[in-house]
Amino acid sequence: MAKRKYSKEMLMQLYSTMVRIRKFEEKATDYFHKGMISGTIHLSIGEEAISAGACYAMDKGDYMTTTHRGHSQCIAKGGNIDKMMAELFGKETGYCRGKGGSMHIADVEGLHHLGANGIVGGGIAIAAGSALASKIWKDKHVSVCFFGDGASNQGVFHEALNMAAAWKLPAVFIIENNFYAVSTEIHRVTNTKYLSVRGHAYDIEGKTVDGNDPVVVYEAAKEAFDHARSGKGPYLLEFLTYRQKGHYCGDPCKFIPASYMEEAHKKDCIINMRAKLLKEKIATEAEIQAVEQAADKE
């Protein structure tokens, strides 16, 4: 995190967003284990910096698609936590009147959120289509697609990138690489160290960066959004991160080695940003606790 490069307001907002996501996921976990939520839920605990930084860099009118692990992006883009939790409970007051559940939260008119998606890679082509609409209408909006490392092995990933590149669509494709597609370690099924290089085949600019620091994420996302918005075509971003839980809530995740979890906790985005805010005297302990208490109350 660059010292004094950004305002206190921005840095505290990033921290607040990550804490709110974490608290929501922890509360949802509690309700799930008590049998109060039907179906299953997928948690983004450990990956909050990606949503916080990327969504902060978005314009309000930008569109996005997310994945089955998409609570975090909805919150970071301004989603109403009450309506989100109501959706998980199957209530009429939820975003999709309780009929979508955890994996299908959407708010097209309010948040320009085109929906989470239970199909691996399911949002990639939707985002490309949204970007095509923006190009036709000349509305200057960027369509942002979040998806996991496993989705980059789906055919739709390559088809959508090819079309987006050929038509120079204002789309940004974001890979949240936590190294595991369900229980498959990504490097067992790919032959490149970084997934962002796959964009080179379509002459798409991109990069791989640390996904555990929201400021680093913000800087990379802002660059990508500016690139796409200026008419230069799509951009492929890969954020390296860690999930601190299994594939789904309650997954014993015996397939993940202890060293992975040790690294995940070592690079915890919330703990590390909290420490930096204090060390660099950007915020006091009392100010940080106020943010955390507000998230608890919410």
Side-chain angles (χ1 to χ4, degrees):
M1 183 168 62
K3 189 173 183 179
R4 304 303 188 205
K5 185 176 180 179
Y6 298 104
S7 69
K8 176 179 179 177
E9 179 184 12
M10 172 185 170
L11 297 174
M12 291 298 285
Q13 180 62 47
L14 290 173
Y15 182 71
S16 174
T17 298
M18 294 194 299
V19 171
R20 291 175 67 238
I21 293 169
R22 179 75 57 94
K23 298 291 185 180
F24 179 90
E25 299 282 54
E26 290 174 346
K27 183 59 69 174
T29 299
D30 180 47
Y31 289 146
F32 177 81
H33 286 308
K34 289 178 178 176
M36 300 167 70
I37 296 176
S38 299
T40 189
I41 58 176
H42 301 79
L43 307 171
S44 59
I45 292 176
E47 303 178 8
E48 297 91 346
I50 297 175
S51 297
C55 290
Y56 192 91
M58 283 187 206
D59 283 357
K60 186 176 181 180
D62 290 341
Y63 290 86
M64 75 174 182
T65 64
T66 66
T67 71
H68 55 280
R69 203 180 305 281
H71 302 155
S72 58
Q73 286 95 17
C74 188
I75 293 172
K77 203 171 190 295
N80 182 291
I81 282 180
D82 288 343
K83 292 180 71 173
M84 288 180 63
M85 194 64 80
E87 186 62 35
L88 267 62
F89 273 78
K91 292 182 175 289
E92 176 77 17
T93 51
Y95 267 112
C96 301
R97 299 175 64 185
K99 299 184 183 298
S102 171
M103 291 191 286
H104 298 96
I105 293 175
D107 182 15
V108 179
E109 293 185 3
L111 297 176
H112 283 194
H113 182 358
L114 303 178
N117 206 305
I119 299 172
V120 175
I124 301 175
I126 296 172
S130 172
L132 176 59
S134 286
K135 181 165 186 176
I136 292 171
W137 293 336
K138 297 181 173 61
D139 61 17
K140 293 299 181 182
H141 297 322
V142 172
S143 292
V144 184
C145 180
F146 295 89
F147 54 97
D149 43 284
S152 71
N153 280 343
Q154 295 283 11
V156 68
F157 167 80
H158 300 276
E159 293 176 40
L161 260 66
N162 180 59
M163 294 176 74
W167 295 339
K168 291 194 179 301
L169 300 183
V172 174
F173 301 98
I174 294 179
I175 305 173
E176 297 181 289
N177 186 359
N178 59 29
F179 305 105
Y180 279 89
V182 187
S183 57
T184 302
E185 205 281 330
I186 191 62
H187 293 112
R188 289 174 52 201
V189 289
T190 57
N191 195 40
T192 57
K193 182 177 181 180
Y194 297 121
L195 301 178
S196 62
V197 301
R198 292 181 162 188
H200 295 173
Y202 311 105
D203 200 19
I204 291 177
E205 289 195 39
K207 63 172 60 173
T208 298
V209 297
D210 179 15
N212 303 298
D213 185 328
V215 175
V216 173
V217 171
Y218 165 78
E219 291 176 340
K222 184 69 166 56
E223 178 183 345
F225 300 157
D226 289 346
H227 173 95
R229 205 182 310 280
S230 67
K232 296 178 181 178
Y235 202 101
L236 178 62
L237 276 176
E238 177 186 18
F239 291 118
L240 303 180
T241 186
Y242 296 87
R243 67 183 195 212
Q244 294 183 15
K245 302 292 181 181
H247 173 62
Y248 57 88
C249 188
D251 178 7
C253 58
K254 294 181 179 179
F255 53 86
I256 294 181
S259 58
Y260 175 97
M261 284 301 181
E262 289 172 4
E263 193 69 12
H265 289 289
K266 178 182 177 181
K267 294 185 176 179
D268 187 296
C269 55
I270 295 176
I271 293 174
N272 290 336
M273 187 171 190
R274 191 185 202 281
K276 286 182 179 180
L277 289 171
L278 290 171
K279 181 179 179 181
E280 298 176 7
K281 301 187 186 311
I282 295 168
T284 65
E285 178 67 32
E287 289 173 321
I288 292 174
Q289 286 186 10
V291 168
E292 296 163 349
Q293 290 166 4
D296 277 328
K297 184 177 180 180
E298 185 181 17

